[in-house]
Amino acid sequence: MPLPGHPLIDPRFEAHHRPVVERAMPCTVRLTVPDTVGVRDPVTGRTVFGDPALLFEGHARLLAQSGGGATVAADRVLTPAAYALFVPATVSGVGVGVAVEVVTCPGNPDLPGLRLWVTDVPLNSVVWQRVFGCDTEAPVV
């Protein structure tokens, strides 16, 4: 039990450990938000969507999720995400449906060019990184 007025965790803890976590993010990813509103063209009768907005481009860690089947919770089938994406905690605005493009990934030549979509935004992220569940198929929102 700490003394009154003393923090349980040293304030220098994050300054020491955050760079270590961020150095463990070898991949470079691009997160974009697709245009979901679009502009209706009355002549052709079609909606034209604009270019996606860039949300983040930088270092990240991408892990393939292993095994484990679907689970049922409250009469809902929950399937695990194919990938877990870790980005710095400074990244904000990421939600379900955000597109993830893997730009580079040293050590895994199969990942660059891979296109994923954020399907899960768990609330249990660590202070200095955000974790998202991603899949190869776009979610239905």
Side-chain angles (χ1 to χ4, degrees), residues 5 11 13 22 32 44 49 55 58 65-66 74 82 87-88 100 103 116 129-131 133:
F13 180 84
E22 289 179 354
T32 55
T44 62
F49 295 96
L55 189 62
Q65 303 288 65
S66 62
V87 295
V100 179
V103 179
L116 303 169
Q129 69 183 4
R130 302 279 319 270
V131 183

Side-chain angles (χ1 to χ4, degrees), residues 30-120:
R30 184 178 298 123
L31 304 179
T32 55
V33 180
D35 178 15
T36 56
V37 177
V39 178
R40 179 118 173 112
D41 184 356
V43 176
T44 62
R46 303 184 84 181
T47 302
V48 179
F49 295 96
D51 292 333
L54 181 64
L55 189 62
F56 169 75
E57 184 168 2
H59 293 289
R61 184 164 45 122
L62 193 63
L63 297 176
Q65 303 288 65
S66 62
T71 58
V72 177
D75 293 337
R76 237 178 125 185
V77 178
L78 303 173
T79 56
Y83 293 90
L85 175 69
F86 300 82
V87 295
T90 55
V91 177
S92 62
V94 180
V96 173
V98 169
V100 179
E101 180 186 349
V102 181
V103 179
T104 64
C105 197
N108 193 338
D110 295 333
L111 288 181
L114 181 66
R115 190 158 175 86
L116 303 169
W117 284 267
V118 174
T119 56
D120 187 22

